[in-house]
Amino acid sequence: MIIATAALGVGCAKSAPKTMAPHDVAGGAAGAAAAPDESAEAEAQRDQIAEIEAELERYEASMLEAGVELPEPVQALRRDAGQSATPATAGDPAQRCQRICDLSANMCTLRDRICELADEHADDPRYTAACERAGLDCDRATEACEGCDA
């Protein structure tokens, strides 16, 4: 499962091959065309990290809904962003444990995907920060799953 997800994450990170329009070759305007390509690539990268951060925040919200306390650094980031960092009151223990363990598996798969992308975008601190945050979330979700009393 992780290998398939990792391959999917890497595949999603690749951009389409760059091609030159016929007028760029004939008219010698290749330099003018490079700026929009770079701008489009930078915009796509910003969109990609924004989607990753949003997905991470959704998993964190699910962990809170399941009654899992997030790591302090993640709580601080959520509070700074005006988001809830308070876990809900626990419900039915058997359902809660199953939900927490499912979240743990999903969170750790997401961490793997994010960290692979962070390696590909080593020059972008947002990817590095997202990888570190996902690692903290994965570790906490795993602890919560392993320590869950059904």
Side-chain angles (χ1 to χ4, degrees):
M1 174 83 164
I2 292 174
I3 294 171
T5 304
L8 177 63
V10 171
C12 293
K14 293 182 180 175
S15 59
K18 295 182 183 178
T19 59
M20 296 179 68
H23 74 277
D24 292 341
V25 175
D37 285 346
E38 290 174 14
S39 177
E41 188 174 319
E43 184 176 335
Q45 188 171 333
R46 282 190 304 273
D47 290 347
Q48 181 183 44
I49 189 60
E51 289 173 16
I52 288 168
E53 290 167 336
E55 187 173 2
L56 194 53
E57 290 170 1
R58 285 190 299 271
Y59 274 115
E60 291 167 354
S62 294
M63 288 171 58
L64 290 170
E65 290 170 7
V68 176
E69 186 174 331
L70 299 173
E72 180 53 43
V74 176
Q75 289 180 36
L77 289 169
R78 289 183 65 85
R79 283 190 297 266
D80 290 348
Q83 299 169 332
S84 173
T86 306
T89 305
D92 175 36
Q95 289 179 352
R96 179 178 176 269
C97 286
Q98 182 61 50
R99 183 168 182 210
I100 290 170
C101 291
D102 289 346
L103 281 168
S104 173
N106 292 334
M107 178 59 70
C108 293
T109 299
L110 177 61
R111 178 220 39 213
D112 293 344
R113 194 176 92 218
I114 291 171
C115 292
E116 283 184 19
L117 290 170
D119 288 343
E120 292 177 18
H121 300 281
D123 59 329
D124 189 332
R126 285 180 67 187
Y127 281 90
T128 302
C131 175
E132 291 170 3
R133 182 174 179 169
L136 291 171
D137 287 340
C138 171
D139 291 346
R140 179 62 190 113
T142 300
E143 289 172 8
C145 175
E146 291 172 353
C148 197
D149 296 324

